[in-house]
Amino acid sequence: MNKVSVQYIENINYLLVSYEFFTHHLLKNPSLTLKIGSWTKEIPVKHSYEIDNMTLGIPTDLLPFYLPEALTYEIRVDKDTLHLGPIIGILNSSKSSKTLTRRKKNVLRTRLQNYTSINGVVFIFSLEDLDFEEKLVKGQYYAPNDEDEWIEATLPFPDSIYNRIRLPQQMSKKISNEIGDTLFNSNHFDKYKLWKVSSEDPIAHQYVPDSISYTETNDFFSIINKYPQVYIKPIRGMQGKGIIVARKNKDTIIFQTSNGQKTECQSTQDIVYYLETHLKDKFGYILQQGIDSLYKDQKVDFRFYFQKNAEMKWICQGVVGRIAKKDSVVTNYKHLKTLLSGNKAIRRLFKVDKKEANTILDSTIEKCKVVCELIDEKVGHYGDIAIDVILDRHKQPFILEINNRIYGTKSLKRLKKKKIYRQIRTTPLAYAKALAGF
């Protein structure tokens, strides 16, 4: 892949390239199609011995947007089309904001640690910044050598977009109609959608707990009659908030919230009252079969970090084992007692050696990949997710949740997994570049 810079030249109406560039790419026609992001235009091309081999001369009045001269670009020539880029957008808000806090800049900087292998324009923007009529977007692009680092500019619709917000499906389709299938993490999906899609698949249904949507109190009775323990989860809940566990205890049901509050209900009337007074989330709840996975009376689960790489393949970047505080019903960060690497957690949980622990991990990773490919097929386009998994006493995995928009990485920092953290932060842009065709 050739790297080039761009130079604006006055008083020309053609693309100016070096003689070496012209002959190397076997340019035979007097004109070509220049493609930058989603913008294309046919333009005459001429060569000269005066211009540097790694420079493209562009007429000053050609582009309806700004293409920074200070950046390095890559080119790809496909027949009579010259692709210049990549142009990568990060959709990070719904509302337009021109102010980047120092904290936000620091967070964004972690995604661009490998920028020298990406090149081109990487910019952030909001939904309000999109102009569908002109096919332009107002954003802030990354300028590694500039004091401000992020500079406002009008840019073309990008080659690919890394979505970081809860994007309405209609808007996702509208954007994809403009740029193609290069918008990833396109549609946010909830816990019930994951279960419904997986439960209808002849293979994936084995890897998710039995679940039902809660619409009335009879739904609870139907599932608690099947299992000794049931998790009640807000469909759009995050970080363990709002989770309630219901356990059978002889002739009673004990409810326990994520805050540790316990309530024992002895009669059907008591149970109905508890459900009606506690299940208030407007987006609803999912009732999920409880899977036993305990270490010394402490809940244990695992987080698997899955991303698509530059080869556009699903890979597991790392695994963290999470052991909750005693009597906690959730394993989110503030309720943790112990954090371990995936291998160490499996060794401690099942009392197996390192080799067998790796075998269990590898088997779980392959099963998670089945579900990754399924959501790509049935739900949307994804490239960056975190999968929460519990292993039962037979070492079989059950996927509890897929975090498909935002997930935390504090666990990796606490474990000092710097390499994995860097890979997780930078790989989405490598995938975005591959989607862009570079």
Side-chain angles (χ1 to χ4, degrees):
M1 188 71 68
N2 292 322
K3 293 183 180 180
V4 299
S5 60
V6 298
Q7 178 184 346
Y8 291 106
I9 301 177
E10 294 181 349
N11 303 319
I12 65 171
N13 60 357
Y14 50 83
L15 190 67
L16 187 64
V17 300
S18 69
Y19 179 77
E20 290 86 352
F21 182 97
F22 192 88
T23 55
H24 177 74
H25 292 288
L26 302 176
L27 300 178
K28 298 176 181 179
N29 294 332
S31 65
L32 54 71
T33 298
L34 179 61
K35 186 176 189 300
I36 304 173
S38 297
W39 177 88
T40 60
K41 186 176 181 65
E42 188 172 346
I43 181 173
V45 58
K46 292 185 180 182
H47 62 79
S48 168
Y49 291 101
E50 302 290 322
I51 194 165
D52 184 82
N53 187 38
M54 304 305 293
T55 301
L56 290 181
I58 297 178
T60 53
D61 58 353
L62 174 69
L63 306 177
F65 50 82
Y66 179 66
L67 195 66
E69 290 181 276
L71 300 179
T72 298
Y73 299 87
E74 296 184 9
I75 59 170
R76 177 169 57 88
V77 178
D78 180 18
K79 295 181 180 179
D80 293 324
T81 299
L82 191 155
H83 302 255
L84 179 65
I87 312 296
I88 297 170
I90 301 174
L91 177 52
N92 72 335
S93 65
S94 298
K95 301 291 184 181
S96 182
S97 174
K98 304 306 178 188
T99 303
L100 277 179
T101 63
R102 180 181 296 180
R103 180 182 176 277
K104 187 66 176 176
K105 286 181 179 180
N106 290 338
V107 170
L108 286 167
R109 196 177 292 122
T110 65
R111 293 216 174 269
L112 290 148
Q113 295 173 86
N114 295 346
Y115 174 76
T116 53
S117 66
I118 303 295
N119 299 304
V121 177
V122 177
F123 69 97
I124 58 171
F125 69 101
S126 74
L127 280 183
E128 285 187 347
D129 294 325
L130 290 166
D131 183 339
F132 284 93
E133 280 192 26
E134 300 295 332
K135 308 293 190 290
L136 298 174
V137 53
K138 292 180 180 178
Q140 293 172 277
Y141 71 88
Y142 180 61
N145 299 320
D146 192 280
E147 185 179 348
D148 292 332
E149 201 169 40
W150 292 91
I151 300 174
E152 291 182 29
T154 298
L155 299 157
F157 273 27
D159 292 304
S160 58
I161 295 175
Y162 176 28
N163 178 41
R164 306 292 295 142
I165 69 171
R166 190 185 294 272
L167 188 61
Q169 192 165 8
Q170 186 177 358
M171 180 58 72
S172 176
K173 288 180 179 178
K174 188 174 182 179
I175 293 172
S176 295
N177 286 340
E178 296 295 338
I179 70 170
D181 187 25
T182 57
L183 164 69
F184 67 99
N185 282 30
S186 54
N187 304 314
H188 176 74
F189 62 90
D190 56 37
K191 298 175 181 70
Y192 184 70
K193 183 71 172 181
L194 168 65
W195 176 81
K196 184 165 176 54
V197 168
S198 300
S199 66
E200 293 171 353
D201 185 82
I203 297 175
H205 79 274
Q206 307 169 70
Y207 311 142
V208 291
D210 188 15
S211 305
I212 60 173
S213 177
Y214 177 80
T215 56
E216 59 180 10
T217 54
N218 284 338
D219 295 324
F220 173 78
F221 290 109
S222 70
I223 195 167
I224 198 68
N225 287 334
K226 293 167 65 177
Y227 306 108
Q229 179 176 265
V230 170
Y231 273 73
I232 306 169
K233 299 181 177 181
I235 283 179
R236 288 195 182 180
M238 295 177 66
Q239 299 178 337
K241 294 176 182 177
I243 289 178
I244 300 171
V245 177
R247 297 187 183 95
K248 290 179 181 176
N249 182 36
K250 297 181 180 178
D251 295 328
T252 66
I253 300 291
I254 297 175
F255 293 96
Q256 181 178 345
T257 68
S258 55
N259 294 325
Q261 183 180 5
K262 293 183 180 180
T263 303
E264 186 171 5
C265 296
Q266 297 184 346
S267 68
T268 300
Q269 185 177 357
D270 289 342
I271 295 169
V272 169
Y273 178 78
Y274 183 91
L275 295 172
E276 289 179 345
T277 54
H278 284 76
L279 305 191
K280 297 289 190 178
D281 193 291
K282 66 179 181 179
F283 295 110
Y285 292 81
I286 183 172
L287 308 179
Q288 193 174 76
Q289 167 196 359
I291 307 294
D292 280 331
S293 183
L294 298 176
Y295 172 77
K296 296 181 180 179
D297 296 324
Q298 294 165 274
K299 180 177 169 60
V300 183
D301 69 9
F302 299 82
R303 172 157 288 184
F304 288 72
Y305 298 94
F306 274 85
Q307 294 179 318
K308 285 180 185 164
N309 60 13
E311 286 72 47
M312 298 196 282
K313 302 291 185 184
W314 281 111
I315 58 170
C316 179
Q317 300 279 31
V319 186
V320 172
R322 308 182 294 189
I323 301 176
K325 294 175 183 176
K326 190 172 182 179
D327 207 32
S328 175
V329 300
V330 294
T331 58
N332 68 299
Y333 194 79
K334 75 175 184 177
H335 291 97
L336 285 179
K337 172 70 174 177
T338 307
L339 269 173
L340 298 166
S341 70
N343 184 284
K344 285 183 180 178
I346 287 175
R347 280 186 275 162
R348 184 176 295 190
L349 182 60
F350 295 111
K351 295 180 171 56
V352 297
D353 61 22
K354 188 174 183 179
K355 183 178 179 181
E356 187 173 352
N358 277 332
T359 299
I360 295 168
L361 275 177
D362 290 343
S363 173
T364 303
I365 287 169
E366 290 307 307
K367 290 168 182 174
C368 286
K369 281 183 182 178
V370 170
V371 178
C372 288
E373 290 163 2
L374 182 66
I375 62 170
D376 264 341
E377 178 188 350
K378 300 291 187 181
V379 184
H381 181 177
Y382 300 91
D384 180 22
I385 60 176
I387 303 180
D388 293 338
V389 174
I390 194 166
L391 296 171
D392 70 9
R393 66 185 65 182
H394 306 294
K395 309 179 185 70
Q396 293 304 307
F398 288 86
I399 295 174
L400 303 176
E401 183 175 356
I402 293 182
N403 303 276
N404 55 91
R405 188 171 62 91
I406 295 175
Y407 55 82
T409 50
K410 287 182 182 178
S411 299
L412 295 171
K413 294 176 185 176
R414 185 164 148 185
L415 289 171
K416 298 181 179 179
K417 298 290 185 180
K418 293 181 180 178
K419 183 179 178 181
I420 295 174
Y421 176 75
R422 178 169 179 146
Q423 289 172 337
I424 286 172
R425 296 297 294 171
T426 59
T427 297
L429 290 187
Y431 177 56
K433 179 181 179 179
L435 284 175
F438 291 91

